Coordinates of all heavy atoms in Angstrom, one line a residue:
D1 N -27.4 -7.4 57.1 CA -26.7 -8.5 57.8 C -25.3 -8.8 57.1 O -25.3 -8.9 55.9 CB -27.6 -9.6 57.7 CG -26.9 -10.9 58.3 OD1 -26.8 -11.0 59.5 OD2 -26.9 -12.0 57.7
E2 N -24.3 -8.9 57.9 CA -23.0 -8.9 57.4 C -22.8 -10.2 56.6 O -22.1 -10.2 55.5 CB -22.0 -8.8 58.4 CG -21.9 -7.4 59.1 CD -22.8 -7.2 60.1 OE1 -23.8 -8.0 60.4 OE2 -22.8 -6.1 60.8
G3 N -23.3 -11.3 57.2 CA -23.1 -12.6 56.5 C -23.9 -12.7 55.1 O -23.4 -13.3 54.2
L4 N -25.0 -12.0 55.1 CA -25.8 -12.0 53.8 C -25.0 -11.3 52.8 O -24.9 -11.6 51.7 CB -27.1 -11.5 54.0 CG -28.1 -11.3 52.9 CD1 -28.3 -12.6 52.2 CD2 -29.4 -10.7 53.4
T5 N -24.5 -10.2 53.2 CA -23.6 -9.3 52.3 C -22.5 -10.1 51.7 O -22.1 -10.1 50.6 CB -23.1 -8.1 53.0 OG1 -24.2 -7.3 53.5 CG2 -22.3 -7.1 52.1
E6 N -21.6 -10.8 52.6 CA -20.6 -11.6 52.2 C -21.1 -12.8 51.3 O -20.4 -13.0 50.3 CB -19.8 -12.1 53.4 CG -18.7 -13.0 53.0 CD -17.5 -12.4 52.3 OE1 -17.5 -11.1 52.2 OE2 -16.7 -13.1 51.5
Y7 N -22.1 -13.4 51.6 CA -22.7 -14.5 50.7 C -23.0 -13.9 49.4 O -22.6 -14.5 48.3 CB -24.1 -15.1 51.3 CG -24.8 -15.9 50.3 CD1 -24.3 -17.1 50.0 CD2 -25.9 -15.4 49.6 CE1 -24.9 -18.0 49.0 CE2 -26.4 -16.2 48.6 CZ -26.0 -17.4 48.4 OH -26.7 -18.1 47.5
A8 N -23.6 -12.8 49.3 CA -23.9 -12.1 47.9 C -22.6 -11.8 47.2 O -22.6 -11.9 46.0 CB -24.8 -10.8 48.2
A9 N -21.6 -11.4 48.0 CA -20.2 -11.1 47.3 C -19.7 -12.4 46.7 O -19.1 -12.3 45.6 CB -19.4 -10.5 48.3
L10 N -19.8 -13.5 47.4 CA -19.4 -14.7 46.9 C -20.1 -15.2 45.7 O -19.6 -15.8 44.7 CB -19.4 -15.9 48.0 CG -18.6 -15.6 49.3 CD1 -19.0 -16.7 50.4 CD2 -17.1 -15.7 48.9
A11 N -21.4 -15.1 45.8 CA -22.3 -15.5 44.5 C -21.9 -14.6 43.4 O -21.8 -15.0 42.3 CB -23.7 -15.4 45.0
F12 N -21.7 -13.3 43.6 CA -21.3 -12.4 42.5 C -20.0 -12.8 42.0 O -19.9 -13.1 40.7 CB -21.3 -10.9 43.0 CG -21.0 -10.0 41.9 CD1 -21.9 -9.5 41.0 CD2 -19.7 -9.6 41.8 CE1 -21.5 -8.6 39.9 CE2 -19.3 -8.6 40.8 CZ -20.3 -8.2 39.8
L13 N -19.1 -12.9 42.8 CA -17.7 -13.3 42.3 C -17.7 -14.7 41.6 O -17.1 -14.9 40.6 CB -16.8 -13.5 43.5 CG -15.3 -13.6 43.2 CD1 -14.7 -12.6 42.3 CD2 -14.6 -13.7 44.6
N14 N -18.6 -15.6 42.1 CA -18.5 -16.9 41.5 C -19.2 -16.9 40.0 O -18.7 -17.8 39.2 CB -19.6 -17.9 42.3 CG -19.4 -19.4 42.0 OD1 -18.3 -19.8 41.9 ND2 -20.5 -19.9 41.5
Q15 N -20.0 -16.0 39.7 CA -20.4 -15.8 38.3 C -19.3 -15.3 37.4 O -19.4 -15.8 36.2 CB -21.6 -14.8 38.2 CG -22.9 -15.1 38.8 CD -23.7 -14.0 38.8 OE1 -23.6 -12.7 38.8 NE2 -25.1 -14.3 38.6
F16 N -18.4 -14.5 37.9 CA -17.4 -14.0 36.9 C -16.1 -14.6 37.1 O -15.3 -14.6 36.1 CB -17.2 -12.4 37.3 CG -18.5 -11.7 36.9 CD1 -19.5 -11.4 37.9 CD2 -19.0 -11.6 35.6 CE1 -20.7 -10.8 37.5 CE2 -20.2 -11.0 35.3 CZ -20.9 -10.5 36.3
S17 N -15.7 -15.3 38.2 CA -14.5 -15.9 38.3 C -14.6 -17.0 39.4 O -14.3 -17.0 40.6 CB -13.4 -14.9 38.9 OG -12.1 -15.6 38.9
P18 N -15.1 -18.1 39.0 CA -15.3 -19.3 39.9 C -14.0 -19.6 40.5 O -14.1 -20.2 41.8 CB -15.8 -20.5 38.9 CG -16.3 -19.8 37.8 CD -15.6 -18.5 37.6
K19 N -12.9 -19.5 39.9 CA -11.6 -19.9 40.7 C -11.4 -19.0 41.9 O -10.9 -19.4 42.9 CB -10.5 -19.9 39.6 CG -9.2 -20.2 40.4 CD -8.0 -20.1 39.3 CE -6.7 -20.5 40.0 NZ -5.5 -20.4 39.2
L20 N -11.5 -17.6 41.6 CA -11.3 -16.7 42.7 C -12.4 -16.9 43.8 O -12.1 -16.8 45.0 CB -11.5 -15.3 42.2 CG -10.1 -14.7 41.5 CD1 -10.4 -13.3 40.9 CD2 -9.0 -14.8 42.4
A21 N -13.6 -17.1 43.4 CA -14.6 -17.5 44.4 C -14.3 -18.7 45.2 O -14.5 -18.6 46.3 CB -16.0 -17.6 43.6
A22 N -13.9 -19.7 44.5 CA -13.5 -21.0 45.3 C -12.5 -20.7 46.3 O -12.6 -21.2 47.4 CB -13.1 -22.1 44.3
E23 N -11.4 -19.9 46.0 CA -10.5 -19.5 46.9 C -10.9 -18.8 48.0 O -10.6 -19.0 49.2 CB -9.3 -18.8 46.1 CG -8.5 -19.6 45.2 CD -7.5 -18.7 44.3 OE1 -7.4 -17.5 44.5 OE2 -6.9 -19.3 43.4
R24 N -11.8 -17.8 47.8 CA -12.3 -17.0 48.9 C -13.2 -17.8 49.7 O -13.2 -17.7 51.0 CB -13.1 -15.8 48.3 CG -13.5 -14.8 49.4 CD -14.1 -13.5 48.8 NE -14.6 -12.7 49.8 CZ -14.5 -11.4 49.8 NH1 -13.9 -10.8 48.7 NH2 -15.1 -10.8 50.7
I25 N -13.9 -18.7 49.2 CA -15.0 -19.6 49.9 C -14.1 -20.5 50.9 O -14.5 -20.7 52.0 CB -15.8 -20.3 49.0 CG1 -16.8 -19.5 48.3 CG2 -16.5 -21.5 49.7 CD1 -17.5 -20.1 47.0
M26 N -13.0 -21.1 50.3 CA -12.1 -21.9 51.1 C -11.5 -21.1 52.3 O -11.5 -21.6 53.4 CB -11.0 -22.5 50.3 CG -10.1 -23.4 50.9 SD -8.9 -24.2 50.0 CE -7.8 -22.8 49.7
R27 N -11.1 -19.8 52.0 CA -10.6 -19.0 53.2 C -11.7 -18.6 54.2 O -11.3 -18.8 55.4 CB -9.9 -17.7 52.6 CG -8.7 -17.8 52.0 CD -7.9 -16.5 51.7 NE -8.8 -15.4 51.1 CZ -9.0 -15.4 49.7 NH1 -8.2 -16.1 49.0 NH2 -9.7 -14.4 49.3
R28 N -12.9 -18.4 53.7 CA -13.9 -18.1 54.7 C -14.2 -19.3 55.5 O -14.5 -19.2 56.7 CB -15.1 -17.5 54.0 CG -15.1 -16.1 53.5 CD -15.2 -15.2 54.7 NE -15.2 -13.8 54.3 CZ -15.0 -12.8 55.2 NH1 -14.8 -13.1 56.5 NH2 -15.1 -11.6 54.9
A29 N -14.3 -20.5 54.9 CA -14.6 -21.8 55.5 C -13.6 -22.0 56.6 O -13.9 -22.5 57.8 CB -14.7 -22.9 54.6
L30 N -12.3 -21.9 56.2 CA -11.2 -22.0 57.2 C -11.3 -21.0 58.4 O -11.1 -21.5 59.6 CB -9.9 -22.0 56.5 CG -9.5 -22.9 55.6 CD1 -8.1 -22.6 54.9 CD2 -9.4 -24.3 56.3
R31 N -11.6 -19.8 58.0 CA -11.9 -18.8 59.2 C -13.0 -19.1 60.1 O -13.0 -19.0 61.2 CB -11.9 -17.3 58.6 CG -10.8 -17.0 57.8 CD -9.5 -16.8 58.5 NE -9.4 -16.2 59.8 CZ -8.4 -16.0 60.5 NH1 -7.1 -16.5 60.2 NH2 -8.5 -15.4 61.6
A32 N -14.1 -19.7 59.4 CA -15.4 -19.9 60.1 C -15.2 -21.0 61.1 O -15.7 -21.1 62.1 CB -16.4 -20.3 59.2
K33 N -14.2 -21.9 60.8 CA -14.0 -23.1 61.6 C -13.3 -22.6 63.0 O -13.3 -23.4 64.0 CB -13.2 -24.1 61.1 CG -13.9 -24.9 59.9 CD -13.2 -26.0 59.3 CE -14.0 -26.6 58.2 NZ -13.3 -27.7 57.5
L34 N -12.7 -21.4 62.9 CA -12.1 -20.9 64.2 C -13.1 -20.6 65.2 O -12.7 -20.2 66.3 CB -11.1 -19.6 63.9 CG -9.9 -20.0 63.0 CD1 -9.4 -18.7 62.6 CD2 -9.0 -20.9 63.7
S35 N -14.4 -20.6 65.0 CA -15.4 -20.3 65.8 C -15.4 -21.1 67.2 O -15.6 -20.6 68.2 CB -16.8 -20.4 65.2 OG -17.1 -21.8 65.0
E36 N -14.8 -22.4 67.1 CA -14.8 -23.1 68.3 C -13.7 -22.4 69.2 O -13.8 -22.4 70.4 CB -14.2 -24.5 67.9 CG -15.4 -25.3 67.2 CD -16.6 -25.4 68.0 OE1 -16.6 -25.7 69.2 OE2 -17.7 -25.3 67.3
D37 N -12.6 -22.0 68.7 CA -11.5 -21.3 69.5 C -12.1 -20.0 70.1 O -11.8 -19.9 71.2 CB -10.3 -21.0 68.6 CG -9.6 -22.2 68.0 OD1 -9.7 -23.3 68.6 OD2 -8.9 -22.0 66.9
Y38 N -12.9 -19.3 69.3 CA -13.4 -18.1 69.8 C -14.4 -18.4 71.0 O -14.4 -17.7 72.0 CB -14.1 -17.3 68.7 CG -13.2 -16.7 67.9 CD1 -13.3 -17.0 66.4 CD2 -12.3 -15.8 68.1 CE1 -12.4 -16.5 65.5 CE2 -11.4 -15.2 67.3 CZ -11.4 -15.6 65.9 OH -10.7 -15.0 65.0
R39 N -15.2 -19.5 70.8 CA -16.1 -19.9 71.9 C -15.4 -20.1 73.1 O -15.9 -19.9 74.2 CB -16.9 -21.1 71.3 CG -18.1 -21.3 72.3 CD -19.0 -22.5 71.8 NE -19.2 -22.2 70.3 CZ -19.6 -23.0 69.5 NH1 -19.9 -24.3 69.9 NH2 -19.9 -22.8 68.2
E40 N -14.3 -20.9 73.0 CA -13.4 -21.3 74.3 C -13.0 -20.0 74.9 O -12.8 -20.0 76.2 CB -12.3 -22.1 73.9 CG -12.7 -23.5 73.4 CD -11.6 -24.4 72.9 OE1 -10.5 -23.9 73.2 OE2 -11.8 -25.4 72.5
K41 N -12.9 -18.9 74.2 CA -12.5 -17.6 74.8 C -13.5 -16.8 75.2 O -13.5 -15.6 75.7 CB -11.6 -16.8 73.8 CG -10.4 -17.4 73.4 CD -9.7 -16.6 72.3 CE -8.5 -17.3 71.7 NZ -8.0 -16.6 70.6
G42 N -14.8 -17.3 75.1 CA -16.1 -16.6 75.5 C -16.5 -15.6 74.5 O -17.5 -14.8 74.9
E43 N -16.1 -15.7 73.3 CA -16.6 -14.8 72.3 C -17.7 -15.4 71.4 O -17.8 -16.5 71.3 CB -15.5 -14.3 71.3 CG -14.3 -13.6 72.0 CD -13.3 -13.3 71.0 OE1 -13.4 -12.9 69.9 OE2 -12.1 -13.5 71.5
S44 N -18.6 -14.6 71.0 CA -19.7 -15.0 70.2 C -20.1 -14.1 69.2 O -19.9 -12.8 69.4 CB -20.9 -15.2 71.3 OG -22.1 -15.2 70.6
S45 N -20.8 -14.4 68.2 CA -21.3 -13.5 67.1 C -22.3 -12.5 67.6 O -22.8 -11.5 67.0 CB -21.7 -14.2 65.9 OG -22.9 -15.1 66.2
W46 N -23.0 -12.9 68.8 CA -24.1 -12.1 69.4 C -23.7 -11.0 70.2 O -24.4 -10.2 70.7 CB -25.0 -13.1 70.2 CG -25.6 -14.1 69.4 CD1 -25.3 -15.6 69.2 CD2 -26.7 -14.1 68.4 NE1 -26.0 -16.1 68.3 CE2 -26.8 -15.3 67.8 CE3 -27.5 -12.9 67.9 CZ2 -27.9 -15.5 66.8 CZ3 -28.4 -13.1 67.0 CH2 -28.6 -14.3 66.5
Q47 N -22.4 -11.0 70.6 CA -21.9 -10.0 71.5 C -21.8 -8.6 70.7 O -21.6 -8.6 69.5 CB -20.5 -10.4 72.2 CG -19.4 -10.3 71.0 CD -18.1 -11.0 71.6 OE1 -18.2 -11.9 72.4 NE2 -17.0 -10.6 71.2
P48 N -21.9 -7.5 71.5 CA -21.8 -6.2 70.8 C -20.4 -6.0 70.2 O -19.4 -6.6 70.6 CB -21.9 -5.1 72.0 CG -22.5 -5.9 73.1 CD -22.1 -7.4 72.9
V49 N -20.4 -5.2 69.1 CA -19.1 -5.0 68.3 C -18.0 -4.6 69.3 O -16.8 -5.0 69.1 CB -19.4 -3.9 67.2 CG1 -18.0 -3.6 66.5 CG2 -20.4 -4.5 66.2
E50 N -18.3 -3.8 70.2 CA -17.1 -3.2 71.1 C -16.6 -4.4 72.0 O -15.5 -4.1 72.5 CB -17.7 -2.0 71.8 CG -18.7 -2.2 72.9 CD -20.1 -2.1 72.3 OE1 -20.3 -1.9 71.1 OE2 -21.1 -2.2 73.1
K51 N -17.2 -5.4 72.0 CA -16.7 -6.5 72.9 C -15.6 -7.4 72.1 O -15.0 -8.2 72.7 CB -17.8 -7.4 73.4 CG -18.9 -6.7 74.3 CD -18.3 -6.3 75.6 CE -19.2 -5.8 76.6 NZ -18.7 -5.4 77.7
F52 N -15.6 -7.3 70.8 CA -14.6 -8.0 70.1 C -13.3 -7.5 70.4 O -13.0 -6.3 70.3 CB -14.9 -8.1 68.6 CG -16.2 -8.9 68.2 CD1 -17.4 -8.4 68.1 CD2 -15.9 -10.3 67.9 CE1 -18.5 -9.1 67.8 CE2 -17.0 -10.9 67.6 CZ -18.3 -10.5 67.5
P53 N -12.2 -8.3 70.5 CA -10.8 -7.9 70.8 C -10.2 -7.3 69.5 O -9.2 -6.5 69.7 CB -10.1 -9.1 71.4 CG -10.9 -10.3 70.7 CD -12.3 -9.8 70.6
D54 N -10.5 -7.8 68.4 CA -10.0 -7.3 67.1 C -11.1 -7.5 66.1 O -12.0 -8.2 66.2 CB -8.7 -7.9 67.0 CG -8.7 -9.5 66.9 OD1 -9.7 -10.0 66.3 OD2 -8.0 -10.1 67.6
W55 N -10.6 -6.8 64.9 CA -11.6 -7.0 63.7 C -11.6 -8.4 63.1 O -12.4 -8.8 62.5 CB -11.2 -6.0 62.7 CG -11.7 -4.5 63.2 CD1 -10.9 -3.5 63.5 CD2 -13.1 -4.2 63.3 NE1 -11.7 -2.6 63.9 CE2 -13.1 -2.9 63.8 CE3 -14.3 -4.8 63.1 CZ2 -14.3 -2.2 64.1 CZ3 -15.4 -4.0 63.4 CH2 -15.5 -2.8 63.8
Q56 N -10.3 -9.1 63.3 CA -10.4 -10.5 62.7 C -11.3 -11.4 63.3 O -12.1 -12.2 62.8 CB -8.9 -11.0 62.9 CG -8.8 -12.4 62.1 CD -9.0 -12.3 60.6 OE1 -8.3 -11.4 59.9 NE2 -9.9 -13.1 60.0
S57 N -11.5 -11.3 64.8 CA -12.4 -12.1 65.4 C -13.9 -11.8 64.9 O -14.7 -12.6 64.8 CB -12.2 -12.1 66.9 OG -12.5 -10.8 67.4
Y58 N -14.1 -10.5 64.8 CA -15.4 -10.2 64.4 C -15.7 -10.7 63.0 O -16.9 -11.2 62.7 CB -15.6 -8.6 64.3 CG -16.8 -8.0 63.8 CD1 -17.9 -8.0 64.6 CD2 -17.0 -7.7 62.4 CE1 -19.1 -7.5 64.2 CE2 -18.2 -7.2 62.0 CZ -19.2 -7.0 62.8 OH -20.4 -6.5 62.4
S59 N -14.8 -10.6 62.1 CA -15.0 -10.9 60.7 C -15.2 -12.5 60.6 O -16.0 -13.1 59.9 CB -13.7 -10.7 59.8 OG -13.9 -11.1 58.5
D60 N -14.4 -13.3 61.4 CA -14.5 -14.8 61.5 C -15.8 -15.1 61.9 O -16.5 -16.0 61.3 CB -13.4 -15.3 62.4 CG -12.0 -15.2 61.7 OD1 -11.8 -14.8 60.5 OD2 -11.0 -15.4 62.4
L61 N -16.4 -14.6 63.1 CA -17.5 -14.9 63.7 C -18.8 -14.6 63.0 O -19.7 -15.1 62.9 CB -17.6 -14.5 65.2 CG -16.6 -15.4 66.0 CD1 -16.5 -14.6 67.4 CD2 -17.3 -16.7 66.2
V62 N -18.8 -13.2 62.6 CA -19.9 -12.6 61.9 C -20.0 -12.8 60.4 O -20.9 -13.3 59.9 CB -20.0 -11.1 62.3 CG1 -21.2 -10.5 61.6 CG2 -20.1 -11.0 63.8
Y63 N -18.9 -12.5 59.7 CA -19.1 -12.6 58.2 C -18.8 -14.1 57.8 O -19.6 -14.6 57.0 CB -18.0 -11.8 57.5 CG -18.3 -10.3 57.5 CD1 -17.9 -9.4 58.5 CD2 -19.0 -9.7 56.5 CE1 -18.2 -8.1 58.5 CE2 -19.3 -8.3 56.4 CZ -18.9 -7.6 57.5 OH -19.1 -6.2 57.5
S64 N -17.7 -14.7 58.2 CA -17.4 -16.0 57.7 C -18.4 -17.1 58.1 O -18.8 -17.8 57.2 CB -16.0 -16.5 58.1 OG -15.0 -15.6 57.7
R65 N -18.7 -17.3 59.3 CA -19.7 -18.2 59.7 C -21.1 -18.2 59.0 O -21.6 -19.2 58.4 CB -19.9 -18.2 61.3 CG -18.7 -18.8 62.0 CD -19.0 -18.9 63.5 NE -20.2 -19.6 63.8 CZ -21.0 -19.5 64.8 NH1 -20.9 -18.4 65.6 NH2 -22.1 -20.3 65.0
A66 N -21.6 -17.0 58.8 CA -22.8 -16.8 58.1 C -22.8 -17.1 56.7 O -23.6 -17.7 56.1 CB -23.4 -15.4 58.5
A67 N -21.8 -16.5 56.1 CA -21.5 -16.6 54.7 C -21.4 -18.1 54.2 O -22.0 -18.6 53.3 CB -20.5 -15.9 54.1
I68 N -20.6 -18.9 55.0 CA -20.4 -20.2 54.7 C -21.5 -21.1 54.9 O -21.8 -22.0 54.3 CB -19.2 -20.8 55.5 CG1 -17.9 -20.1 54.8 CG2 -19.0 -22.2 55.5 CD1 -17.6 -20.3 53.5
M69 N -22.4 -20.9 56.0 CA -23.6 -21.5 56.2 C -24.6 -21.3 55.1 O -25.1 -22.2 54.5 CB -24.3 -21.0 57.4 CG -25.6 -21.8 57.9 SD -27.2 -20.9 58.1 CE -27.1 -19.3 57.5
L70 N -24.7 -20.1 54.6 CA -25.5 -19.9 53.4 C -25.0 -20.5 52.1 O -25.7 -21.0 51.4 CB -25.7 -18.3 53.1 CG -26.5 -17.6 54.2 CD1 -26.3 -16.1 54.1 CD2 -28.0 -18.0 54.1
W71 N -23.6 -20.5 51.9 CA -23.0 -21.2 50.8 C -23.3 -22.6 50.9 O -23.6 -23.3 49.9 CB -21.6 -20.9 50.7 CG -21.1 -21.3 49.3 CD1 -20.4 -22.4 48.9 CD2 -21.2 -20.3 48.2 NE1 -20.2 -22.2 47.7 CE2 -20.5 -21.0 47.2 CE3 -21.7 -19.1 48.0 CZ2 -20.5 -20.6 45.8 CZ3 -21.7 -18.7 46.8 CH2 -21.0 -19.3 45.7
E72 N -23.3 -23.3 52.1 CA -23.5 -24.7 52.1 C -24.9 -25.1 51.9 O -25.3 -26.0 51.3 CB -23.1 -25.2 53.6 CG -21.7 -25.2 53.8 CD -21.2 -25.7 55.1 OE1 -22.0 -25.9 56.0 OE2 -19.9 -25.6 55.3
L73 N -25.8 -24.1 52.4 CA -27.4 -24.2 52.0 C -27.5 -24.2 50.4 O -28.2 -24.9 49.9 CB -28.2 -23.2 52.6 CG -28.5 -23.4 54.1 CD1 -29.3 -22.2 54.6 CD2 -29.3 -24.7 54.2
R74 N -26.8 -23.3 49.9 CA -26.8 -23.2 48.4 C -26.4 -24.5 47.6 O -27.0 -24.9 46.7 CB -26.0 -22.1 48.0 CG -25.7 -21.9 46.4 CD -24.6 -20.7 46.2 NE -24.2 -20.7 44.9 CZ -24.4 -19.7 44.0 NH1 -24.9 -18.6 44.5 NH2 -24.0 -19.7 42.8
T75 N -25.4 -25.1 48.2 CA -25.0 -26.5 47.6 C -26.0 -27.5 47.9 O -26.3 -28.3 46.9 CB -23.7 -26.9 48.5 OG1 -22.7 -25.8 48.3 CG2 -23.1 -28.2 48.0
V76 N -26.7 -27.5 48.9 CA -27.7 -28.5 49.3 C -29.1 -28.1 48.6 O -29.7 -29.0 47.9 CB -27.9 -28.7 50.7 CG1 -29.0 -29.6 51.0 CG2 -26.6 -29.1 51.4
W77 N -29.6 -26.9 48.7 CA -30.8 -26.6 48.1 C -30.8 -26.0 46.7 O -31.8 -26.0 46.0 CB -31.4 -25.5 48.9 CG -31.8 -25.8 50.4 CD1 -31.9 -27.0 51.1 CD2 -32.5 -24.8 51.3 NE1 -32.4 -26.8 52.2 CE2 -32.6 -25.6 52.5 CE3 -32.5 -23.4 51.3 CZ2 -33.2 -25.0 53.6 CZ3 -33.0 -22.8 52.5 CH2 -33.2 -23.5 53.6
G78 N -29.7 -25.6 46.2 CA -29.6 -24.8 45.1 C -29.6 -23.4 45.2 O -30.2 -22.8 46.2
E79 N -29.1 -22.7 44.2 CA -29.1 -21.2 44.1 C -30.3 -20.6 44.1 O -30.6 -19.7 44.9 CB -28.2 -20.8 43.1 CG -28.1 -19.2 43.0 CD -27.1 -18.8 41.7 OE1 -26.9 -19.6 40.8 OE2 -26.9 -17.7 41.6
K80 N -31.3 -21.1 43.4 CA -32.5 -20.6 43.2 C -33.4 -20.5 44.6 O -34.0 -19.5 44.9 CB -33.3 -21.3 42.2 CG -34.3 -20.5 41.4 CD -34.9 -21.4 40.2 CE -35.8 -20.5 39.4 NZ -36.3 -21.3 38.2
K81 N -33.4 -21.7 45.3 CA -34.2 -21.8 46.5 C -33.6 -20.8 47.6 O -34.2 -20.1 48.2 CB -34.1 -23.2 47.0 CG -35.1 -23.2 48.3 CD -35.4 -24.6 48.6 CE -36.3 -24.6 49.9 NZ -37.1 -25.7 50.1
V82 N -32.2 -20.9 47.6 CA -31.5 -20.0 48.7 C -31.8 -18.5 48.4 O -32.2 -17.8 49.3 CB -30.0 -20.2 48.8 CG1 -29.4 -19.1 49.6 CG2 -29.8 -21.6 49.3
N83 N -31.7 -18.1 47.1 CA -32.1 -16.7 46.7 C -33.5 -16.4 47.0 O -33.8 -15.2 47.4 CB -31.7 -16.4 45.3 CG -30.2 -16.4 45.0 OD1 -29.4 -16.3 46.0 ND2 -29.8 -16.5 43.8
S84 N -34.4 -17.3 46.9 CA -35.8 -17.2 47.2 C -36.1 -17.0 48.6 O -36.8 -15.9 49.1 CB -36.6 -18.3 46.7 OG -38.0 -18.1 47.1
V85 N -35.5 -17.7 49.4 CA -35.5 -17.7 50.9 C -34.9 -16.3 51.4 O -35.6 -15.6 52.2 CB -35.0 -18.8 51.6 CG1 -34.9 -18.7 53.1 CG2 -35.8 -20.0 51.3
L86 N -33.8 -16.0 50.9 CA -33.2 -14.7 51.2 C -34.0 -13.5 50.8 O -34.0 -12.5 51.6 CB -31.8 -14.6 50.7 CG -30.7 -15.6 51.3 CD1 -29.4 -15.6 50.6 CD2 -30.5 -15.5 52.8
G87 N -34.6 -13.6 49.7 CA -35.5 -12.5 49.3 C -36.7 -12.4 50.0 O -36.9 -11.3 50.5
Q88 N -37.2 -13.4 50.6 CA -38.4 -13.3 51.6 C -37.8 -12.7 53.0 O -38.5 -12.0 53.4 CB -38.9 -14.7 51.7 CG -39.5 -15.4 50.7 CD -39.9 -16.8 50.9 OE1 -40.2 -17.2 52.0 NE2 -40.1 -17.5 49.8
Y89 N -36.6 -13.1 53.4 CA -36.0 -12.7 54.5 C -35.9 -11.1 54.4 O -36.3 -10.2 55.4 CB -34.7 -13.2 54.9 CG -34.0 -12.7 56.1 CD1 -34.4 -13.1 57.4 CD2 -33.0 -11.7 55.9 CE1 -33.7 -12.5 58.5 CE2 -32.3 -11.2 56.9 CZ -32.7 -11.5 58.2 OH -32.1 -11.0 59.3
V90 N -35.3 -10.6 53.4 CA -35.0 -9.2 53.2 C -36.3 -8.5 53.1 O -36.4 -7.4 53.6 CB -34.2 -8.9 51.8 CG1 -34.2 -7.6 51.4 CG2 -32.7 -9.6 52.1
N91 N -37.2 -9.0 52.4 CA -38.7 -8.3 52.3 C -39.3 -8.2 53.6 O -39.9 -7.1 53.9 CB -39.5 -9.0 51.3 CG -39.1 -8.8 49.9 OD1 -38.5 -7.7 49.6 ND2 -39.5 -9.6 49.0
A92 N -39.2 -9.2 54.5 CA -39.8 -9.2 55.8 C -39.1 -8.3 56.9 O -39.7 -7.7 57.7 CB -39.8 -10.6 56.4
H93 N -37.8 -8.1 56.6 CA -37.1 -7.2 57.5 C -36.5 -6.0 56.9 O -35.6 -5.4 57.4 CB -36.0 -8.1 58.0 CG -36.4 -9.4 58.9 ND1 -36.7 -10.5 58.2 CD2 -36.7 -9.4 60.1 CE1 -37.1 -11.3 59.0 NE2 -37.1 -10.7 60.3
R94 N -37.1 -5.5 55.9 CA -36.6 -4.4 55.1 C -36.5 -3.1 55.9 O -35.5 -2.4 55.8 CB -37.6 -4.1 54.0 CG -37.1 -3.0 52.9 CD -38.0 -2.9 51.9 NE -38.2 -4.2 51.2 CZ -38.9 -4.4 50.2 NH1 -39.5 -3.4 49.6 NH2 -38.9 -5.5 49.7
F95 N -37.5 -2.8 56.7 CA -37.4 -1.6 57.5 C -37.3 -1.9 59.0 O -37.4 -1.2 59.8 CB -38.7 -0.8 57.2 CG -38.9 -0.5 55.6 CD1 -39.8 -1.2 55.0 CD2 -38.1 0.4 55.0 CE1 -40.0 -0.9 53.6 CE2 -38.1 0.7 53.6 CZ -39.2 -0.1 52.9

């Protein structure tokens, strides 16, 4: 899952450079907010890849929205709980 991969990258970066992580999180959050504009154009994260008009819209809808949602959950639930839930998800959908 692309959003899970981006979330993991944010968490990793946050361990080694919180400042860089904060900048990337802020950029992803801003890009994720564009989902309303994409929705008005009829685009959705559920559509096939070939239906996206460009890679930026794909990145905004697929990577940014999911990663920021997971990051916000981390803020509310804590890193340990989010990682536990994600571990369960990965184990359940491994193959």
